[in-house]
Amino acid sequence: MPTDPAANLIAGVRTDRLEKLAAREAKRFAAGRPKAQAAQEAGAGVFLDGVPLHWMKDWPMPHLPLVTKAHGARITDIDGYEIDDFCLGDTGSMFGHSPAPVAKAIRHQAARGLTYMLPTEDALEAGRLLCERFGDFRWQIATTATDANRFAIRVARAVTGRPKILVFNGCYHGTVDDAMVELANGATRNREGLLGQFADLTQGAVCVEFNDLAGVEAALAKGDVAAILTEPVMTNSCMVLPEAGFHDGLRSLTRRYGALLIIDETHTISSGLGGYTGVHSLSPDMFVVGKCVAGGMPTAVWGMTPETAARYVEVNAARPSGHSGMGTTLSANPMQFACLRATLAEVMTAKNYDHMEKLAARLSAGLRKVIDRVQAPWHVVRVGARVEFICAPGPLKNGAEAALAHQPQVERALHVALLNRGSLIAPFHNMMLISPKTKKRQVDRLIAAFDEVLTELFA
């Protein structure tokens, strides 16, 4: 008997329709970008696996486009396509490509030196602005959020004298080793797929499901957890929102059991002015944000409350002389401070966030309308300027559910189809960002493209 194609579904989509769409859209992409393909074939062989950074292989296109310029919320590639950019460097360019105040600051500082291991007047003003935007913290500057998280973890262990960091299953904190653990049958283990990992990470980390306060308390009660490291909202997979009372519970439990609370806002800075922490009045002991904080210049900041800083100063003064294990010589360079100052003062503004919020609400509503019309078993999540469609019913409660909701075959086909219709979204998941430079017509084009593709898949 022939197989009924309707019986073979992925995320509610018939596999025969999905395969037909994927093949057609891949062919369309490749045919339309011959210059990029020829250039890649001629010059990319010098890079490991043909890409300058390994995760570029995660883009689902038949071959990578080559960008010639980006401005505002638009990218132009070597084949002449102008693309509405909703990926925005996976948050690195959340405020748009080359914001005018940042570009001006770069030009100004470039004539005065790029790095010299000494502060500037911009550094002092950036520090003041950091406190104004994010709260009363004692700040340090890093080059990436991975570095910032790594240093914050080291301080937490130093001031508490405890070895372990609590992270949530499926979390994202860059490439920090301590966060590369997962839950399997209720036990913490090294994440599968880690390359070159020889250490048992469970000696320094414990993993709990997001939104599970009972699990958090059980881990903290053992007395060996130095800090909880968490995003306010789980991102970089299928987005998971905190349940009511979850963050209050984390704060209460960490205080009860003597652990620190580290909030990593590297992605959730999209939530609004001051990040999710500012919008929802969280009170972490340490605060981390990277990617877009300097308008796209590689920069991250991490700060600690005055009370935590006093504990750090005491511990640091008592340690033997030698390398602390924190800091890189290119961090806190004058170019970072020039861009930080410009971004905090002129780009990361209430007016810009208001624009981002309004268009993100429009995008979210438009995507939901399409999903409802075609009766797809999908849902949409939004946190400020960050919107994500998820190819599964929702809401999701934790990392385990987020992993099961991920549908790579559907997502790859949909991403290429949207790009062929002029819209770029993030490659690792279905995340879309609104920048201050994003226009209403760009949002409407993305909704229309999404409508066209889902109408075909769910006809």
Side-chain angles (χ1 to χ4, degrees), residues 36 46 98 128 133 246 251 262 276 288 318 320 363 402 419 453:
V46 299
S98 298
R128 186 189 70 80
R133 284 284 175 267
F246 179 64
R251 181 67 281 185
I262 308 172
Y276 196 98
V288 174
L363 174 59
L419 182 55
V453 177

Side-chain angles (χ1 to χ4, degrees), residues 109-150:
Q109 184 59 48
R112 289 159 174 77
L114 302 181
T115 188
Y116 29 76
M117 291 182 68
L118 290 168
T120 60
E121 288 182 300
D122 280 340
L124 302 180
E125 179 60 11
R128 186 189 70 80
L129 289 167
L130 284 169
C131 289
E132 185 178 280
R133 284 284 175 267
F134 300 118
D136 185 19
F137 295 100
R138 299 298 175 263
W139 297 100
Q140 290 282 275
I141 311 301
T143 303
T144 69
T146 292
D147 283 341
N149 281 319
R150 185 182 296 120

Side-chain angles (χ1 to χ4, degrees), residues 31 37 66 69 103 119 135 138 200 211 234 243-244 279 284 303 316-317 329 342:
Q37 184 173 10
L66 293 180
K69 66 177 180 179
R138 299 298 175 263
D200 178 6
N211 283 319
M234 290 195 72
E243 294 178 345
V279 172
N316 192 50
T329 54

Side-chain angles (χ1 to χ4, degrees), residues 172-195:
Y172 175 73
H173 300 291
T175 54
V176 178
D177 277 357
D178 308 78
M180 293 296 172
V181 292
E182 63 186 2
L183 276 180
N185 299 318
T188 303
R189 71 177 185 187
N190 287 15
R191 286 192 186 185
E192 289 188 330
L194 289 179
L195 190 64

Side-chain angles (χ1 to χ4, degrees), residues 43 59 285 337 384 435 457:
W59 286 100
D285 299 296
F337 284 121
S435 81
L457 289 177

Side-chain angles (χ1 to χ4, degrees), residues 116-445:
Y116 29 76
M117 291 182 68
L118 290 168
T120 60
E121 288 182 300
D122 280 340
L124 302 180
E125 179 60 11
R128 186 189 70 80
L129 289 167
L130 284 169
C131 289
E132 185 178 280
R133 284 284 175 267
F134 300 118
D136 185 19
F137 295 100
R138 299 298 175 263
W139 297 100
Q140 290 282 275
I141 311 301
T143 303
T144 69
T146 292
D147 283 341
N149 281 319
R150 185 182 296 120
F151 303 152
I153 288 170
R154 188 173 288 273
V155 169
R157 286 177 170 145
V159 302
T160 63
R162 298 176 178 180
K164 290 192 175 183
I165 303 298
L166 188 153
V167 295
F168 292 105
N169 192 33
C171 67
Y172 175 73
H173 300 291
T175 54
V176 178
D177 277 357
D178 308 78
M180 293 296 172
V181 292
E182 63 186 2
L183 276 180
N185 299 318
T188 303
R189 71 177 185 187
N190 287 15
R191 286 192 186 185
E192 289 188 330
L194 289 179
L195 190 64
Q197 184 64 51
F198 67 92
D200 178 6
L201 299 177
T202 67
Q203 297 300 304
V206 59
C207 195
V208 176
E209 288 289 5
F210 197 73
N211 283 319
D212 180 8
L213 287 176
V216 170
E217 182 164 18
L220 293 181
K222 296 179 181 179
D224 59 355
V225 173
I228 293 176
L229 172 62
T230 184
E231 294 181 278
V233 175
M234 290 195 72
T235 66
N236 214 54
S237 58
C238 296
M239 196 153 55
V240 180
L241 300 177
E243 294 178 345
F246 179 64
H247 283 297
D248 287 342
L250 291 183
R251 181 67 281 185
S252 176
L253 288 171
T254 49
R255 285 177 173 154
R256 184 185 309 167
Y257 290 100
L260 299 182
L261 179 60
I262 308 172
I263 296 291
D264 178 1
E265 292 260 18
T266 298
H267 278 161
T268 54
I269 189 66
S270 64
S271 303
L273 197 64
Y276 196 98
T277 295
V279 172
H280 295 274
S281 301
L282 306 186
S283 54
D285 299 296
M286 304 179 79
F287 179 92
V288 174
V289 63
K291 295 203 180 192
C292 65
V293 73
M297 176 63 61
T299 305
V301 300
W302 59 288
M304 58 192 86
T305 62
E307 294 78 13
T308 306
R311 295 174 68 184
Y312 164 74
V313 169
E314 182 179 355
V315 169
N316 192 50
R319 71 179 176 89
S321 62
H323 203 299
S324 68
M326 299 187 297
T328 54
T329 54
L330 292 178
S331 293
N333 67 65
M335 186 63 79
Q336 289 177 308
F337 284 121
C339 294
L340 263 173
R341 179 178 183 173
T343 302
L344 294 168
E346 302 179 66
V347 180
M348 194 182 288
T349 64
K351 180 180 179 181
N352 279 342
Y353 269 109
D354 183 61
H355 172 87
M356 295 155 68
E357 182 92 12
K358 287 178 179 177
L359 283 189
R362 183 181 185 89
L363 174 59
S364 178
L367 298 179
R368 282 195 182 96
K369 185 176 180 180
V370 173
I371 288 170
D372 290 344
R373 183 181 62 77
V374 302
Q375 298 182 12
W378 300 7
H379 72 288
V380 177
V381 183
R382 179 171 77 89
V383 177
R386 185 184 184 96
V387 180
E388 186 174 353
F389 63 85
I390 297 173
C391 305
L396 306 175
K397 294 182 180 179
N398 54 45
E401 291 187 5
L404 291 173
H406 190 44
Q407 299 291 345
Q409 189 174 344
V410 177
E411 293 159 9
R412 284 196 297 267
L414 192 53
H415 286 209
V416 178
L418 292 176
L419 182 55
N420 284 337
R421 289 156 181 77
S423 297
L424 182 71
I425 68 175
F428 314 113
H429 37 91
N430 307 316
M431 187 274 295
M432 296 148 284
L433 280 167
I434 301 296
S435 81
K437 296 299 183 181
T438 303
K439 307 298 183 186
K440 175 176 167 288
R441 62 179 177 271
Q442 292 178 288
V443 169
D444 290 345
R445 276 197 294 263

